[in-house]
Amino acid sequence: MHVPDVHGVEAKRIESLVQLSGARILDVGCGDGRLTRLAAAQGVSVYAFDSNAERVEQARAAADAQRVRFGVHGAEALDVARESFDVALCGWSL
C-alpha cells in the first residue's frame, strides 16, 4: 500500500541526511519517479533506472528531461563507474 507523503516528510528527511544540491544522483529502482523528481529539482544530474519499463515511462513523463537520464534494467545490470555519483537514493525497491 502506498500512502502519499502530502507533508513532504520523506523529502525533508532525505535532505537532512545528504546534500542533494549540486550533486550527481543515482536513483536505484526509480519506479514512477517519486524520488527522481526530488533529485532533479536539486541535483546537477540524475541517472534513474528501474527494471519495469512502464514505471520508467511514468517517471520520464514527470521528470525534468534536461537533468535526468533513464534506464530500464535491474541493479545487477548497472554499468557505470563508481565515482560517477555523489549520492544514491533507493526507496521502496529492495
Side-chain angles (χ1 to χ4, degrees):
M1 176 173 83
H2 175 71
V3 178
D5 182 14
V6 296
H7 300 291
V9 173
E10 182 178 44
K12 290 175 188 169
R13 184 66 178 143
I14 290 169
E15 292 165 349
S16 76
L17 296 171
V18 295
Q19 177 69 22
L20 296 179
S21 180
R24 294 165 298 175
I25 302 168
L26 175 67
D27 187 3
V28 179
C30 67
D32 67 359
R34 184 181 89 258
L35 296 180
T36 309
R37 290 186 297 277
L38 169 67
Q42 296 187 38
V44 168
S45 65
V46 180
Y47 180 65
F49 70 91
D50 198 287
S51 60
N52 184 317
E54 186 176 306
R55 301 288 277 174
V56 169
E57 285 309 311
Q58 291 172 340
R60 187 186 317 270
D64 180 343
Q66 293 180 348
R67 292 186 182 206
V68 183
R69 293 179 301 127
F70 288 95
V72 178
H73 56 81
E76 72 283 353
L78 182 63
D79 186 22
V80 295
R82 287 173 54 182
E83 59 276 350
S84 294
F85 303 97
D86 302 308
V87 176
L89 300 174
C90 181
W92 300 37
S93 61
L94 295 180

